[in-house]
Amino acid sequence: MLTRTEPREVSTSCRADEFQRLVGMSHSELLRVRILGPVRVIRPGMAVTTDFSATRLNIALDESETVTRVFCG
């Protein structure tokens, strides 16, 4: 029997909500930002592990090295 599950609340323990200001920033600008805690920069086509870490801040870049997304995981 299948049961419906409610969507999980998005974790903000990595403080992604505080770092949304990084979206649109270039990689060179990003290097000057001080971020405490675990951070992972993800480039297009880059292999990443599927392990979830609620305290890790993920920063996704596009082909032009611009930040497109900031999220926990």
Side-chain angles (χ1 to χ4, degrees):
M1 172 167 74
L2 294 175
T3 59
R4 182 172 176 228
T5 59
E6 294 300 315
R8 289 190 315 165
E9 186 176 314
V10 176
S11 173
T12 58
S13 56
C14 75
R15 302 184 350 221
D17 52 336
E18 296 175 32
F19 289 103
Q20 291 306 305
R21 62 185 168 80
L22 302 178
V23 174
M25 210 179 255
S26 70
H27 182 257
S28 59
E29 292 172 310
L30 180 63
L31 293 175
R32 290 179 264 174
V33 177
R34 184 176 181 142
I35 303 172
L36 300 177
V39 177
R40 174 169 60 177
V41 176
I42 304 170
R43 291 184 165 83
M46 182 177 159
V48 293
T49 61
T50 58
D51 63 316
F52 181 81
S53 173
T55 59
R56 179 175 52 211
L57 185 69
N58 290 298
I59 301 172
L61 303 177
D62 64 11
E63 294 80 13
S64 65
E65 296 279 294
T66 300
V67 177
T68 58
R69 186 174 173 216
V70 177
F71 59 101
C72 298

